[in-house]
Amino acid sequence: MPHRAHLFSLRLAHGFRAACIDERYTTKRLGRDVMAGVTVGIIAIPLAMALAIASGVPPQYGLYTAFIAGFVIALTGGSRFSVSGPTAAFVVILYPIAQTYGLGGLLLASLMSGVLLIIMALMRLGRFIEYIPEAVTLGFTGGIAVVIATLQVKDFFGLGIEQMPEHYWDKLAVVAQALPGLDGTTTLVAIATLAVMLLWPRLRTPVPPHLPAVIIGSLLALALNANGAAIETIGSRFSYLLADGSTGAGIPPFLPEFAWPWQRPDASGEPLGISWSMVRDLLPAAFAIAMLGAIESLLCAVVLDGMSGKRHSANSELLGQGIGNVITPFFGGITATAAIARSAANYRAGAESPVSAMMHALVVLLALVSLAPLLAYLPMAAMAALLVMVAWNMSEAPKSLHLLKTAPRSDILVFITCFSLTVLLDMVIAITTGILLAAVLFMREMAQMTRVTDITDSKRMAGARLPDGWQVFKINGPLFFAAADRIFGELAQLSSSARGFILYMDGVTILDAGGLSALNKLIDTCRRDGTQVVVADLQFQPLRTLARAGVRPEEGVIRFYPSLDEAITAESWLAPT
């Protein structure tokens, strides 16, 4: 019962209030939160920068997102242990927006998605995440992973590609053409970084693998560049303007300024501006961001519930995500949502409450203002290797392979469809098509489960005295629109020569408008042919549906009885003496 209450509740700062106010918050718990926050903050620094670059914007905007959205969502959301910030799942949506509309368009779309998330929370839509099949989520996350990994090929191998095309096959063609010109030293740095991330967990140290991997990759790149190599770094690719008009390399070592998202530059460097046509053009992308943000954040909260034994509030989490994504774009932050990997690391590091996620945000803020000169030495190849690892982890390849080996054909079809459409077309199309396809296939399976059986001569009817020309039919399964016409069509054929029949309906759990319409057609046919219908043992929902539709007993046509035995007894007077 408490879990159900959390699903429907909407309370600002539910996670914080539940962990720090409703429960006693001690100094010991604060110490654990601080340690967990520092651990996750260290993980988040390189990830936030890499994800911003992958989304098509300079790395500092990923740091802005991590510390602003990370703090606000932790404070206002519905989960105790979720850590929010830029995530890999958004890359396939954000990158095309950044290429077409620039930073301003990306921030405006993020702001719009935040408003949509708040609306979803107010409408109590949080629990509907349960209705998205696993085949759909595995399909689109696997497709996203493939796209992200493909986008990293350029920096992983140091290829001379100016800009990736929009369509996936065109991306592959451009990569194939540029691959002969790969840079050996850049590739060496990327492979070294990836190798450290793969091997470091075997040491079983509390230090997360991202940190030593990035440090070793940076030191290797620094040594190679000192010997004449030309390995690209954050400092060599990105720059920023200072107040005196001079240019700095890397990321700016100061806090972001407030600015309206539509005053930020578009793809050509001019202020974006705002108009109804601009909002209309960005609305599909904003809707996709909101949907994906809701899915990611609530799936993350469910995973954390399983790990911790606690319960989140789905609608409160959507509210917190919406507030975070409304506030963050005004300070240059891109789209944020809960990240499963960082959130799981947060819990394993000993987190007690959302205070740990707030501490993580402060660690990222401290890194921005104090370590910006050092962060400029991070090689782009190491960032690419980091994202390749992120893509692999988010793909959940073992789960997908298990699904392909063991799942029904319908689930496999949904998975392959979602995966292919995400890679080749668009994630919005993939999710929409996947959910619709899953729903249609599920309805087909449910419709096939609904059956009508002639039980006139069965053991159940042993000893019953039925009138001549009468039959008894049992219907099992839901009588909804996908099954009803077939069932009543079969029933009409089976009873074509009968004087009357009894419909034993204790196995019918649902009667919808389609089922009601088909039943009315059968009654009309029986009225015309002079065939009597007796309905027995209706469950509550079908009975209520018939009552609301005004279906009443009609002499010589249709009667209703609460049980099969009563129906047989009541009709026994028709039997010959």
Side-chain angles (χ1 to χ4, degrees), residues 174-523:
V174 168
V175 167
Q177 288 177 349
L179 203 55
L182 67 84
D183 182 76
T185 55
T186 298
T187 306
L188 177 61
V189 170
I191 292 174
T193 305
L194 189 59
V196 173
M197 280 190 287
L198 291 172
L199 298 175
W200 188 265
R202 297 184 181 182
L203 300 178
R204 301 187 183 279
T205 68
V207 179
H210 300 80
L211 183 61
V214 169
I215 291 174
I216 291 172
S218 300
L219 292 174
L220 180 59
L222 191 63
L224 291 171
N225 281 341
N227 286 283
I231 300 169
E232 198 170 22
T233 64
I234 285 178
S236 64
R237 178 177 292 187
F238 299 101
S239 61
Y240 58 92
L241 287 175
L242 295 168
D244 59 4
S246 61
T247 302
I251 61 176
F254 38 77
L255 297 177
E257 296 180 352
F258 176 90
W260 300 105
W262 46 89
Q263 292 178 346
R264 302 276 184 172
D266 60 13
S268 63
E270 298 296 323
L272 177 72
I274 188 167
S275 63
W276 170 245
S277 61
M278 175 67 66
V279 172
R280 185 182 58 206
D281 291 344
L282 289 173
L283 188 59
F287 179 77
I289 293 170
M291 286 297 298
L292 184 56
I295 293 169
E296 284 283 300
S297 61
L298 295 182
L299 283 178
C300 178
V302 169
V303 169
L304 292 169
D305 284 355
M307 294 172 65
S308 65
K310 303 294 184 181
R311 288 290 178 264
H312 72 286
S313 168
N315 295 309
S316 302
E317 179 66 7
L318 288 184
L319 180 62
Q321 294 290 338
I323 293 171
N325 280 285
V326 166
I327 293 174
T328 304
F330 290 99
F331 298 92
I334 60 176
T335 307
T337 190
I340 294 177
R342 272 165 277 171
S343 301
N346 180 46
Y347 176 73
R348 292 192 188 105
E352 291 278 336
S353 75
V355 173
S356 62
M358 297 180 206
M359 285 302 306
H360 132 274
L362 295 178
V363 170
V364 175
L365 172 61
L366 182 63
L368 174 68
V369 297
S370 62
L371 300 179
L374 290 177
L375 295 176
Y377 289 103
L378 294 177
M380 299 304 301
M383 297 288 98
L386 190 65
L387 286 179
V388 167
M389 197 66 193
V390 169
W392 170 256
N393 289 333
M394 79 170 295
S395 71
E396 297 194 86
K399 248 186 178 180
S400 299
L401 289 174
H402 180 73
L403 182 141
L404 290 172
K405 290 178 181 178
T406 61
R409 289 183 180 178
S410 58
D411 285 341
I412 295 173
L413 177 61
V414 170
F415 171 81
I416 293 173
T417 300
C418 280
F419 179 87
S420 303
L421 290 177
T422 301
V423 172
L424 300 177
L425 293 178
D426 180 78
M427 197 199 68
V428 182
I429 296 174
I431 294 178
T432 304
T433 304
I435 292 175
L436 291 175
L437 180 60
V440 170
L441 292 173
F442 175 76
M443 286 187 290
R444 186 189 69 173
E445 291 177 4
M446 290 297 293
Q448 290 173 346
M449 291 173 62
T450 305
R451 301 178 183 277
V452 58
T453 309
D454 187 345
I455 62 170
T456 307
D457 299 320
S458 69
K459 293 181 180 179
R460 176 72 177 80
M461 299 299 297
R465 298 177 65 241
L466 287 175
D468 289 338
W470 277 72
Q471 295 172 275
V472 182
F473 300 104
K474 180 176 176 60
I475 300 178
N476 275 310
L479 278 175
F480 66 113
F481 64 93
D485 282 335
R486 174 179 60 84
I487 290 299
F488 286 118
E490 292 178 12
L491 191 59
Q493 290 182 347
L494 291 170
S495 62
S496 57
S497 59
R499 288 177 49 210
F501 56 87
I502 299 174
L503 279 184
Y504 182 30
M505 297 181 66
D506 75 321
V508 177
T509 54
I510 295 173
L511 180 70
D512 73 350
L516 179 64
S517 175
L519 177 60
N520 282 327
K521 288 179 184 177
L522 177 69
I523 294 170

Side-chain angles (χ1 to χ4, degrees), residues 10-27:
L10 178 61
R11 184 170 69 151
L12 183 66
H14 172 88
F16 181 81
R17 291 158 71 175
C20 301
I21 298 175
D22 297 347
E23 298 176 6
R24 186 166 174 262
Y25 193 70
T26 62
T27 305

Side-chain angles (χ1 to χ4, degrees), residues 504-574:
Y504 182 30
M505 297 181 66
D506 75 321
V508 177
T509 54
I510 295 173
L511 180 70
D512 73 350
L516 179 64
S517 175
L519 177 60
N520 282 327
K521 288 179 184 177
L522 177 69
I523 294 170
D524 290 341
T525 301
C526 291
R527 182 185 294 112
R528 185 179 63 248
D529 296 342
T531 305
Q532 297 186 55
V533 182
V534 174
V535 180
D537 212 341
L538 281 167
Q539 293 197 35
F540 177 73
Q541 193 277 341
L543 181 62
R544 183 180 62 178
T545 300
L546 290 172
R548 291 180 64 181
V551 179
R552 300 284 186 269
E554 183 179 337
E555 187 64 32
V557 179
I558 185 168
R559 283 182 291 259
F560 297 90
Y561 293 96
S563 70
L564 179 60
D565 291 338
E566 290 183 60
I568 294 170
T569 303
E571 299 303 323
S572 63
W573 60 273
L574 291 175

